[in-house]
Amino acid sequence: MADGIPTDLTWTRAAPEDAEGPGPWIEIAFGAANDLVYLRETSDPGTVVTTTRTKWDAFTKGVQAGEFDHFAD
């Protein structure tokens, strides 16, 4: 695992409940002792991207509001 990444994170796979197989899927974990959110891909768990909880909350609100729908076209 990458340096500085807590080893006690609880990773949650962002996939439909009925999804089978290894993915690749995105996994997310929220740091307990800091304000960081950790993201990784199941096929490359050693590469972890971090962001702040404030930025993550703004991103998820933007997704819910449809601000990124043009990327799916």
Side-chain angles (χ1 to χ4, degrees), residues 10-61:
T10 301
W11 293 95
T12 302
R13 186 175 75 163
E17 288 185 25
D18 60 347
E20 295 182 18
W25 306 105
I26 297 297
E27 294 179 314
I28 184 170
F30 296 93
N34 56 32
D35 188 37
L36 294 179
V37 178
Y38 301 85
L39 300 154
R40 68 182 184 186
E41 189 174 329
T42 55
S43 63
D44 186 14
T47 301
V48 178
V49 176
T50 60
T51 190
T52 66
R53 183 62 188 247
T54 300
K55 290 178 183 179
W56 176 255
D57 290 344
F59 171 73
T60 57
K61 287 177 184 176

Side-chain angles (χ1 to χ4, degrees), residues 58-69:
F59 171 73
T60 57
K61 287 177 184 176
V63 170
Q64 291 172 336
E67 294 178 16
F68 303 101
D69 289 355

